[in-house]
Amino acid sequence: MLDTLQAINSTAAFNRWAGFEVTRAAAGEAEVRMAWREEDMGQYAGFLHAGLIGAMLDTACGFAAATVAGRVLASHFSVNCLSPALGRAFIARGKVVKAGRKQVFATAELYGQGEGDSLKLVATGSAILVPVEEAPPAKVAPRAGA
């Protein structure tokens, strides 16, 4: 399962840019880690930008859902910022709350990792994800009179 999520993660350009690493996966659970880069990840006051907070929570929820439902897309997600996001790295832990045939409900917690590997909860999130099937290759119909 971990190998599969790592392979999926490596195909996403945004995840590669951000440096997301899938560090753990189990049925209904996933963990994503990202090292802090001060030069391009901070907001005006020097904390992790809320866009990256949301991206990490969304990704952790999506990967957790993928472990039980296959390929999924988010139909809704929300973020709660609890404290300024500081750390030398950030760890998002996603967990499936309920998986149905048409929707998967997941939650995630984001931690700032400080010195000595201490973790501080900085944000939480939740997502509703929809299982999707691989789209068949597009077929081009012959034009009339051709």
Side-chain angles (χ1 to χ4, degrees):
M1 203 171 299
L2 179 60
D3 291 343
T4 300
L5 290 184
Q6 288 172 334
I8 293 167
N9 186 59
S10 71
T11 66
F14 178 84
N15 294 13
R16 288 193 312 269
W17 168 82
F20 289 179
E21 301 172 63
V22 183
T23 54
R24 193 173 68 74
E29 298 181 4
E31 182 177 277
V32 178
R33 183 181 187 282
M34 178 186 73
W36 165 251
R37 295 191 316 258
E38 183 177 356
E39 65 278 1
D40 63 355
M41 291 184 164
Q43 44 82 287
Y44 69 94
F47 305 116
L48 181 65
H49 192 281
L52 280 167
I53 290 171
M56 286 197 74
L57 292 166
D58 173 57
T59 300
C61 285
F63 284 164
T67 66
V68 296
R71 189 170 173 226
V72 295
L73 293 174
S75 65
H76 174 80
F77 80 99
S78 64
V79 174
N80 302 299
C81 296
L82 307 176
S83 65
L86 288 171
R88 59 183 176 82
F90 296 89
I91 297 169
R93 294 180 177 153
K95 183 176 182 179
V96 170
V97 175
K98 182 176 185 332
R101 288 181 311 125
K102 294 186 178 188
Q103 293 181 322
V104 179
F105 298 85
T107 62
E109 296 177 332
L110 180 68
Y111 298 89
Q113 186 176 33
E115 297 305 319
D117 293 335
S118 64
L119 297 178
K120 179 181 179 184
L121 181 64
V122 297
T124 62
S126 61
I128 301 172
L129 302 113
V130 179
V132 294
E133 295 180 19
E134 291 289 333
K139 293 184 181 179
V140 178
R143 292 182 6 197

